[in-house]
Each structure stands twice: as structure tokens, then as C-alpha cells.
Amino acid sequence: MQREIDGGISDGSVLLLARRGRIILHRAIGFANRKEDRALRTDDVIPVMSLTKQLTAAAVFRFIDRGQLSLTTRIAEVVPEFAQHGKGAVTIRDALSHQAGLPMQHPVEDWRDGNERYVAKICAMHPDIAPAGVVNYHAGAAHAILGEVIRRADGGQRSLTRILADEVFAPTGMADTALTLAGRGDLAKRLAPINMLLDSEGTIPQRDIEQISEISATTEFLAGGASSTAHDIFRFAEMFRCGGVVEGRQVLSPAIVDAAMTIQTGDKVSGLYKAAVESQAETPFPANIGLSFYLRGTGVFLASMGTLSSPRTFGGSGFGGQLFWVDPDRDITFVHLVIGYPQLYTSRKRSQRLSDQVICALKHPSAE
């Protein structure tokens, strides 16, 4: 990893590895801000990009546990205007599993004015149905809609920033995590900037990605705007490893945790990477999406969680290489937060190599 930082593939990384809940590695390597020669620290606050989707999903799970929502609840039952142009049958489960017939990408301008205005644009859209056998990853739209669903189910009394803080971050002990940094000057002081290291044809525009950090400081972006530390993401992942329990407190039911870790997309392939893998003459790989969480599944293919992890391994991944996963069969929890982002395909290959190294480095229990 140091060689990759020296070579400009990334600027820095915070790594955290635990087994059976005990942290055995927590290290920062490289720069928090290369331009300012600022060394990275393990407690730096880092934009977690699409790991925000799993945080948003956990808030939805709390509403399901209380009976306020169900996986089969049609979004239009809570947000009636979403039914426009034939979208009335789309359910919460569809949105959580990226099968809601929504666009893969939206320009930053669509959500920079706040979640409610973004939702209004989504409601007015026609469906964007994925080709047969493909899951079109919803980069922004699905979790924006889910945010509006829980806001209305909550009676509109709390902001989405407050809902995630109350429903997920506080009960999980994630004191250094926030959806927006408004009022969190303590976190803003430790925030590492987003820095794209590749801007080439066919990739997401560099400026669009770099704007996420500055806009999400005040704008609620439910799909990619949260900031956190490696240790807080570890606490979140551990909650799911332990069946929804944190330090003896039941935050989520074992039933919703099991549902979240069940593949909802069958053998459909990932639309997000389809063009990239075909250009490399590789075989498109399965999406393996549960309820916003990714599952390793079976087979050998390019996987952020590695090719050597067990089939039940689950986790989340974000642009540039933000990653956490849990291998429940080996009781491993791994977090990798990145500074300085390579592009999607490069970061996925990097995550796979690193994840496989982690698994290979651990001894069999009989040798410990």
C-alpha cells in the first residue's frame, strides 16, 4: 500500500481489522491531504461515499422493526407523487436492492438543493428499466427516495440528519459519524478532502466527485454524503456481525439483519461494471445485492470482498475504494477507508487484492 501511495495510485488509507470483535490492526498510512503534506491519522474523518447507503438502509430497518414500514410497502403509499408514470408498484424492497427502475446516475446538480427537491425530480421521472438480467445500480435516486419515505413515516418532525443520528449513530455508538457536518465543527476540523486521482473519458467527471464533500457539508445526500471514521464503520459492521446487537443492546432485530444479508437480485449481473468488464474481455459478474448490502455469494469473479472470503461474507463499498466487510464464518471484520480515489474498476481490483491478503494473513484457529 505504501508503494501505491508513493506511485500516486492513492494518497492514503486507514485500515482496521478485527477478529471475533477484537481489533488486531488499526493503522493510518499516507496523507490526509497530500497537497498540504498532512499525514493521515486513524481518527481522521473521511467521506465514506456509498457506504452511506448501508447507513440509510439501517435507518429504514429500524422503521421496519417498529412496524411503521414493511419490505412490501409501496413507496407511493408514503410518497404518493412517486406513482407518476407507472412507478406506483415499486416497493421499499425494490429500492433497497437497486431494482426500483431508477436511473444509474444523476448529475450533482440534481441533489445539491436538498433531498426534498431531488425527490421531486425523481417522482416526475419516467421509469428507467434495466435490461433483462441486469441490475442498474442506483447511485443516488433509490436512497434519496428511501430517505423521504422515513422522513414522512416519522411525521416530518426530524431532519434526515437527525433521524440517522437518533436511529443509527447514537444507538451504535458512532459518535464520529454524521450525514451532514452542519453543527459538527468537531468533525469538520478532522475532515479529509476528496481528491480524485484520475479523470479520463468514460469515467465519472472528477469535479462531480470532488463536489460531494463540499456540498454534503450542509446538504443531506442519503446515497453518498456521510462522513465517518474507520472505527465508527467498524462498530456499524460489528452490529450486523452480532445479529443487530451492540454491547448487549438490540439495535436491530435478527430477522431484519438476516433479510438484509440475503441476495435479492438472483443471478442478475452488475450494470455498474458491465461496460468496464466487457472492455477488459472479462465476464460480467453477479450483482449479489441484499437489502443495500453486498453479498459475496459463490463463484470466482472480481469482488471487492475478495475471492477467498466465505460465501456468506457481506458488506458495503463506495467510490474510490471505501469498504467494509464481515466474513461471519471466520469472524473477521475489515474496514478500509481511502484518501485519493482511483476510478471504479481500478479501486475494485485493489480492494479485491487487499481483501484476499487480509484473509490469507489470518491463522487457522487451531494454530492460534
Side-chain angles (χ1 to χ4, degrees):
M1 295 193 72
Q2 186 63 57
R3 285 196 301 271
E4 291 184 344
I5 292 167
D6 293 342
I9 293 173
S10 74
D11 288 341
S13 289
V14 180
L15 301 163
L16 191 153
L17 175 62
R19 197 168 201 190
R20 304 182 194 96
R22 183 173 66 88
I23 296 172
I24 55 179
L25 173 72
H26 190 193
R27 184 175 300 175
I29 305 171
F31 301 92
N33 189 326
R34 191 189 288 261
K35 294 176 183 177
E36 297 179 358
D37 197 30
R38 173 184 153 200
L40 186 61
R41 296 164 48 101
T42 55
D43 64 348
D44 276 342
V45 175
I46 299 172
V48 297
M49 309 304 281
S50 283
L51 302 190
T52 309
K53 291 178 173 66
Q54 287 81 48
L55 303 178
T56 299
V60 175
F61 299 162
R62 294 269 288 182
F63 280 74
I64 291 173
D65 276 346
R66 289 196 295 264
Q68 293 170 274
L69 298 170
S70 168
L71 291 175
T72 59
T73 299
R74 295 186 178 190
I75 290 172
E77 293 176 38
V78 187
V79 185
E81 61 270 34
F82 183 77
Q84 295 177 68
H85 308 300
K87 301 194 297 295
V90 175
T91 66
I92 287 175
R93 179 258 188 185
D94 295 333
L96 285 168
S97 61
H98 297 262
Q99 299 179 100
L102 297 171
M104 284 233 297
Q105 304 287 357
H106 279 154
V108 169
E109 288 71 23
D110 278 357
W111 54 265
R112 69 182 305 156
D113 292 328
N115 200 66
E116 290 180 58
R117 291 190 180 183
Y118 183 17
V119 165
K121 293 179 181 180
I122 296 166
C123 290
M125 290 177 177
H126 289 266
D128 188 353
I129 306 300
V134 175
V135 177
N136 271 353
Y137 173 81
H138 302 330
H143 290 76
I145 286 290
L146 289 166
E148 182 63 6
V149 166
I150 59 176
R151 190 186 73 84
R152 295 195 191 186
D154 190 56
Q157 300 302 305
R158 293 182 288 175
S159 69
L160 290 167
T161 297
R162 187 77 261 155
I163 289 173
L164 262 66
D166 292 347
E167 301 288 348
V168 181
F169 307 152
T172 312
M174 299 169 68
D176 289 332
T177 304
L179 179 60
T180 68
L181 296 182
R184 292 301 306 269
D186 58 322
L187 301 187
K189 290 177 183 177
R190 292 150 50 200
L191 182 67
I194 292 174
N195 178 30
M196 282 290 297
L197 298 177
L198 175 65
D199 188 24
S200 58
E201 186 177 352
T203 65
I204 299 174
Q206 178 171 341
R207 182 58 184 154
D208 277 10
I209 296 297
E210 291 180 342
Q211 283 185 99
I212 289 176
S213 184
E214 57 197 66
I215 294 171
S216 61
T218 55
T219 298
E220 295 172 328
F221 181 35
L222 277 297
S227 301
S228 187
T229 62
H231 192 269
D232 269 13
I233 296 298
F234 160 70
R235 291 186 67 91
F236 180 76
E238 276 290 291
M239 172 178 66
F240 285 90
R241 185 183 72 86
C242 296
V245 174
V246 177
E247 296 174 351
R249 301 187 306 277
Q250 192 81 51
V251 178
L252 294 172
S253 70
I256 195 64
V257 170
D258 285 347
M261 307 316 163
T262 301
I263 294 174
Q264 306 288 328
T265 54
D267 58 1
K268 294 179 181 177
V269 301
S270 171
L272 181 63
Y273 293 95
K274 190 171 184 294
V277 297
E278 288 175 349
S279 71
Q280 300 290 321
E282 297 181 14
T283 302
F285 46 79
N288 284 357
I289 301 174
L291 300 177
S292 292
F293 287 75
Y294 295 98
L295 288 305
R296 170 67 182 92
T298 58
V300 178
F301 50 85
L302 185 59
S304 295
M305 292 176 274
T307 59
L308 302 176
S309 54
S310 72
R312 294 199 305 137
T313 300
F314 62 84
S317 63
F319 191 89
Q322 311 299 38
L323 177 72
F324 74 87
W325 52 255
V326 172
D327 186 332
D329 292 346
R330 295 184 173 95
D331 284 325
I332 304 169
T333 303
F334 180 60
V335 180
H336 180 207
L337 297 186
V338 180
I339 309 295
Y341 299 165
Q343 272 290 347
L344 281 170
Y345 198 60
T346 301
S347 67
R348 190 175 179 97
K349 285 185 172 181
R350 186 171 185 248
S351 292
Q352 173 175 286
R353 185 178 71 251
L354 182 59
S355 295
D356 279 343
Q357 285 181 285
V358 165
I359 295 165
C360 290
L362 292 168
K363 296 178 182 178
H364 189 274
S366 63
E368 292 181 348

